[in-house]
Amino acid sequence: MRNPSPCTSPPRTSPPPGRTGRPRSAAADAAILAATRDALVELGWSKLTMGDVSARAGVAKTTLYRRWAGKSELVVDAVAELFDALELPDRGSLEADIEYVVLQFAQLLRRPEARTALMAVVAESTRDEALRGRIRSAIVDRQKRLVVLGRERAQERGELPYEEDEALSGLATDLIFDVIAGTVVHRALVSCEPVDELWVSAFTSLLMHGLRGAASA
């Protein structure tokens, strides 16, 4: 019998019933998430506390705990908010779309709050299965929207064929996302090498070669 993967998703559970009471304030949430990123850059993961965040955001600590169960969930959502700002405008070709989003992603990773927060939650998730699941749902799964959108546009332009097999289509989305995100994160945060236009052009050409080869296979 195979051992389960350390990255196996935790069992899905039904969401808790909605809470009653005052509605959440979008402005308060934004202030809390911004304060979380600032505190993380200044203090680091080990020293960051919910009290630090509440003081910086100007809200009661009970307000934080009504929204997030603990520091891990809060930091993941603070990172996710940054990644949700990524977009994929139509640049006229799949290659141009990829180059744009890779440069945009690299620019995001150059921000101290994004770099520090992402590295912190990834490191902590190696010991916390629930945190890995939250990273997948709040960051990874949400950002796969960019791959889905890019492939749909490429198919409409005739650059890539349509796929009738949903399982294979989903696998292709996962692979493209993993290749782009994994390569850029490794380049920017592990190797600490520049993700400039020359590198992005070479990387995109290599990726396009693989996509075209897979499409013709």
Side-chain angles (χ1 to χ4, degrees):
M1 181 177 179
R2 294 173 56 190
N3 292 325
S5 165
C7 292
T8 300
S9 301
R12 295 184 180 274
T13 57
S14 299
R19 295 178 177 176
T20 59
R22 296 176 61 186
R24 288 176 60 156
S25 164
D29 282 359
I32 290 167
L33 296 177
T36 301
R37 294 189 292 267
D38 290 344
L40 191 61
V41 171
E42 182 178 330
L43 303 174
W45 176 274
S46 62
K47 294 182 180 179
L48 177 68
T49 67
M50 298 290 270
D52 294 318
V53 175
S54 67
R56 288 169 185 262
V59 300
K61 193 185 300 185
T62 53
T63 300
L64 294 187
Y65 283 108
R66 281 198 298 268
R67 291 160 163 79
W68 296 276
K71 179 171 75 173
S72 295
E73 292 185 1
L74 176 57
V75 173
V76 170
D77 284 3
V79 178
E81 185 181 55
L82 295 177
F83 280 78
D84 283 344
L86 294 174
E87 56 182 10
L88 188 62
D90 191 341
R91 312 292 287 187
S93 71
L94 177 58
E95 188 166 1
D97 286 355
I98 293 173
E99 288 183 350
Y100 180 90
V101 78
V102 169
L103 285 168
Q104 187 184 190
F105 183 32
Q107 184 176 17
L108 173 60
L109 294 179
R110 283 195 290 270
R111 294 171 57 175
E113 66 272 29
R115 182 170 61 247
T116 302
L118 181 61
M119 294 293 275
V121 295
V122 169
E124 189 67 18
S125 71
T126 62
R127 302 183 294 273
D128 187 335
E129 185 174 342
L131 179 56
R132 289 198 298 272
R134 190 171 184 88
I135 291 171
R136 277 193 298 273
S137 62
I139 301 175
V140 175
D141 289 346
R142 291 217 300 249
Q143 294 315 308
K144 286 180 182 177
R145 64 187 168 82
L146 299 174
V147 176
V148 172
L149 176 59
R151 293 183 71 226
E152 288 176 348
R153 286 178 179 166
Q155 289 166 343
E156 290 171 359
R157 298 187 195 108
E159 295 174 288
L160 293 177
Y162 287 96
E163 295 171 332
E164 296 182 1
D165 191 318
E166 291 186 7
L168 289 178
S169 179
L171 177 60
T173 296
D174 290 346
L175 285 171
I176 295 168
F177 179 87
D178 290 345
V179 168
I180 294 176
T183 303
V184 176
V185 168
H186 189 279
R187 173 84 176 176
L189 302 185
V190 180
S191 298
C192 297
E193 296 287 347
V195 182
D196 53 23
E197 291 187 4
L198 180 62
W199 183 88
V200 170
S201 178
F203 169 67
T204 303
S205 294
L206 183 64
L207 183 59
M208 290 297 297
H209 179 75
L211 289 171
R212 290 177 179 131
S216 62

